[in-house]
Amino acid sequence: MPGGAMRWGTAAAVALAWVPCSQAFIEELFGQAFGGGGRGGGGGMHFQMGGDDGGGMFQMGGGGGRPSKPKWPKGITKEVDKRMAWMKGTEWNWNGWRNVKFEKDGTFDAPTRDCQSGQCMWSAKDGKVYILWGEAGVHELQIEGEVPTEQDQAKMQGMRMRGKRIADGERCHATFQKIHDFEAAGLDKDLYEILGLADDADEVEVKKVYRKLSVKYHPDKNPDEDSKKKFAEVRDAYEILNDPDKKILYDTGGMEAVKKHEKGEIQKGDDVAAEMGTSLEDLYNGGTSKASINRRIVCRGCRVRPQSPKCQGCSRCPNELKTVHVQVGPGMFMQQQQEVQSKEKCKHEDTIIDVHIEKGMKDGEQVTFPRMAEQKPGMLPGNVVLTLKQDKHVKFRRQGDDLHINTQVGLREALLGWSQTVRHLDGHSVDIGTTSVTKPFQVFKIQGEGMPLRDDPSSFGHLYVRVEIVFPKTLTSEQQQQLTSVFAPAAPRPEL
């Protein structure tokens, strides 16, 4: 019952009990006083005994049970037009009765049972305000005089709007009282529009435009109020779009998400772990590799411009967690979090990310991409964490910052000396060898030819060359005689 949840003093309520009037008479009386309050709001009347402390409420005439949530009739906008955003967070006096509030999320707050249980909503467009007041239906009001373009409490004093309840033409009016939520009106501002940028502008473009506009509108050059105001808008927009966390929150949840983040009320999504194969050459030389991830993203702006070409393929995002008023008993309500249908649009897309591999990185090291996991409206995306998995190399084996390689020499080379050229991971050549006798499986150490050190890429580990001697499978009698003449006879071997 719009205008019907009355709190009367005890004396007034007792006096009413002595008046021999009918239910119809009371409804008519309330209807004249509150403009649409006599019929609706769940078909009942609420009285409260003993003043404004919220206790002692009981119901007359009307059924119990929780009313179903009303729906907007066809032909009436469900949204608050951007030009009417100044209405958000304002408080008005309804019909000289009680104050009502136009909340930032489209909720209409009035001291009636249906509104307290979440049955009331509001929308606005072209100077008209629509209130869906529970079962009482839609009220349509027109702002009197010039419609404001921005929220200014001083200039809005005395502002009025008049209209009627559509169902029966019952007249109603409201008078502006105050702003109760000073952040609400600013939640719809378009930061990209303020800077004159496209929705997908990157940080380089944001900085470039900010420098240009901050010089153009700087108060030292432009002392007029309009320039000061524009400079402040540009500065505030840049401070958000230049902050990686705030930017992604703004892109996926608007200014409301940014404000919640500043209050420490934002949840972060889960991190996503993945593996990426990489070559030993990449770990030695460093560089950039491409990786593709498939993830859900929020389609920025597609809720209000669904026909935009970029919105093709977008569909409703997963449900969101919102704080709502829930009736837990007669006259008792509490706040709790519930899953509600998201108003934003989402889609899945393949995102290409550049993986920067630093010289000397090791197998198993991780590269983190902040805020690149799946997006959800009003939440800070988690990170994508890529773990590097080194592919097996055909020639080199890595241990820490050192490299190991195997080579073979024949018996002659093992005795008389040998040399070998090794093509390294970056293409330069390393010459190794000896003129001395090489023992089986002897390891030669080459200083500074290993992997670059991660913390000091100009320094390197070592290269270790393990030499295997390949013996001939057989010898001819002539070869045996030649060797006998070269080597002294072997000494007798002791018994084992």
Side-chain angles (χ1 to χ4, degrees):
M1 163 172 71
M6 302 300 298
R7 293 188 174 102
W8 290 355
T10 304
V14 172
L16 180 64
W18 290 94
V19 180
C21 56
S22 65
Q23 176 73 21
F25 173 78
I26 295 176
E27 290 189 352
E28 181 63 29
L29 177 64
F30 278 25
Q32 292 176 6
F34 308 131
R39 295 174 294 278
M45 301 170 60
H46 287 78
F47 295 84
Q48 179 170 318
M49 308 295 293
D52 295 338
D53 61 359
M57 182 175 286
F58 63 96
Q59 179 175 321
M60 291 179 58
R66 198 170 181 181
S68 59
K69 190 169 184 177
K71 296 182 179 180
W72 286 102
K74 291 184 178 180
I76 294 181
T77 181
K78 301 177 183 179
E79 306 292 337
V80 179
D81 185 77
K82 185 185 297 186
R83 291 170 294 182
M84 295 291 289
W86 57 268
M87 279 282 298
K88 294 184 176 182
T90 59
E91 188 169 325
W92 299 64
N93 181 266
W94 185 266
N95 284 356
W97 163 58
R98 289 288 185 85
N99 286 2
V100 297
K101 296 178 180 179
F102 295 85
E103 303 290 3
K104 61 188 176 186
D105 62 354
T107 300
F108 179 73
D109 187 10
T112 59
R113 182 184 62 181
D114 41 11
C115 291
Q116 293 300 306
S117 59
Q119 305 298 305
C120 302
M121 299 173 282
W122 73 282
S123 63
K125 185 177 182 180
D126 299 331
K128 288 187 177 181
V129 179
Y130 303 92
I131 302 169
L132 181 52
W133 200 323
E135 295 183 4
V138 178
H139 295 62
E140 179 182 326
L141 297 93
Q142 177 75 47
I143 301 294
E144 292 186 341
E146 186 177 354
V147 178
T149 57
E150 61 182 3
Q151 196 176 76
D152 188 319
Q153 183 163 267
K155 294 180 180 179
M156 291 168 63
Q157 290 300 324
M159 181 182 296
R160 293 169 63 89
M161 54 182 171
R162 292 183 179 275
K164 62 182 179 179
R165 185 168 63 185
I166 293 178
D168 56 9
E170 192 74 51
R171 309 302 300 178
C172 53
H173 67 269
T175 305
F176 174 77
Q177 299 297 302
K178 65 179 181 180
I179 299 171
H180 74 274
D181 183 351
F182 285 89
E183 294 181 349
L187 298 181
D188 286 337
K189 60 184 176 182
D190 191 326
L191 303 184
Y192 292 97
E193 186 177 284
I194 290 173
L195 296 179
L197 290 168
D199 289 350
D200 56 355
D202 60 24
E203 60 182 42
V204 175
E205 294 174 286
V206 170
K207 289 183 178 180
K208 181 179 179 181
V209 169
Y210 169 69
R211 293 191 188 101
K212 180 180 178 181
L213 294 179
S214 61
V215 171
K216 179 178 179 180
Y217 294 107
H218 198 280
D220 291 346
K221 291 186 176 182
N222 306 278
D224 60 285
E225 290 302 318
D226 287 344
S227 294
K228 290 180 180 179
K229 180 181 175 182
K230 183 65 177 178
F231 178 81
E233 288 182 344
V234 169
R235 179 198 60 213
D236 293 345
Y238 174 74
E239 287 179 355
I240 292 173
L241 297 182
N242 190 52
D243 183 293
D245 284 350
K246 291 182 179 179
K247 183 179 186 298
I248 191 68
L249 285 171
Y250 175 75
D251 288 344
T252 60
M255 284 300 299
E256 185 173 1
V258 174
K259 295 297 183 183
K260 287 183 178 180
H261 173 67
E262 293 173 347
K263 298 174 183 176
E265 299 174 356
I266 283 295
Q267 293 180 320
K268 183 181 177 183
D270 295 330
D271 291 346
V272 174
E275 292 184 351
M276 175 182 170
T278 184
S279 67
L280 188 58
E281 283 85 355
D282 286 339
L283 298 177
Y284 183 91
N285 296 302
T288 301
S289 298
K290 301 287 186 182
S292 177
I293 56 173
N294 183 271
R295 60 176 184 151
R296 179 181 62 236
I297 63 167
V298 176
C299 305
R300 172 170 157 71
C302 291
R303 176 169 63 88
V304 293
R305 294 186 296 273
Q307 303 306 319
S308 173
K310 73 171 187 177
C311 299
Q312 293 182 4
C314 297
S315 57
R316 185 170 61 82
C317 292
N319 290 346
E320 301 177 40
L321 281 177
K322 295 283 187 179
T323 300
V324 297
H325 292 279
V326 177
Q327 186 172 4
V328 295
M332 294 185 295
F333 303 91
M334 66 176 291
Q335 286 186 337
Q336 73 176 34
Q337 284 194 326
Q338 283 187 356
E339 276 198 358
V340 298
Q341 192 176 78
S342 176
K343 295 181 180 180
E344 301 295 337
K345 301 293 184 180
C346 287
K347 68 178 177 182
H348 279 81
E349 73 169 17
D350 290 323
T351 301
I352 304 298
I353 55 178
D354 292 327
V355 185
H356 299 289
I357 300 175
E358 299 179 22
K359 290 183 177 182
M361 292 187 78
K362 296 180 174 66
D363 176 69
E365 284 203 52
Q366 295 180 331
V367 183
T368 300
F369 299 86
R371 302 168 295 277
M372 287 300 291
E374 289 200 322
Q375 298 178 359
K376 193 172 182 179
M379 287 185 66
L380 193 63
N383 303 328
V384 171
V385 182
L386 286 183
T387 300
L388 300 180
K389 289 296 180 183
Q390 179 199 312
D391 301 328
K392 186 176 181 180
H393 198 270
V394 296
K395 183 165 58 178
F396 293 100
R397 178 172 53 86
R398 180 179 184 176
Q399 285 187 342
D401 294 322
D402 299 325
L403 290 174
H404 295 255
I405 189 173
N406 296 329
T407 190
Q408 293 178 333
V409 297
L411 179 59
R412 176 188 173 87
E413 293 174 306
L415 296 173
L416 302 178
W418 56 275
S419 65
Q420 174 72 55
T421 298
V422 177
R423 182 72 63 184
H424 214 300
L425 294 167
D426 62 349
H428 80 276
S429 296
V430 180
D431 292 324
I432 56 177
T434 182
T435 57
S436 302
V437 174
T438 301
K439 301 181 181 69
F441 305 110
Q442 185 175 343
V443 176
F444 293 83
K445 178 181 177 180
I446 314 299
Q447 293 276 357
E449 289 294 350
M451 294 293 293
L453 306 186
R454 174 75 183 279
D455 298 329
D456 182 14
S458 62
S459 299
F460 293 81
H462 309 304
L463 173 64
Y464 292 89
V465 182
R466 182 175 180 267
V467 182
E468 179 185 357
I469 300 174
V470 180
F471 286 81
K473 293 182 179 180
T474 60
L475 291 175
T476 65
S477 58
E478 182 180 354
Q479 289 172 327
Q480 289 177 344
Q481 291 177 358
Q482 290 176 345
L483 289 174
T484 302
S485 64
V486 172
F487 294 105
R493 289 181 175 273
E495 185 178 354
L496 296 177

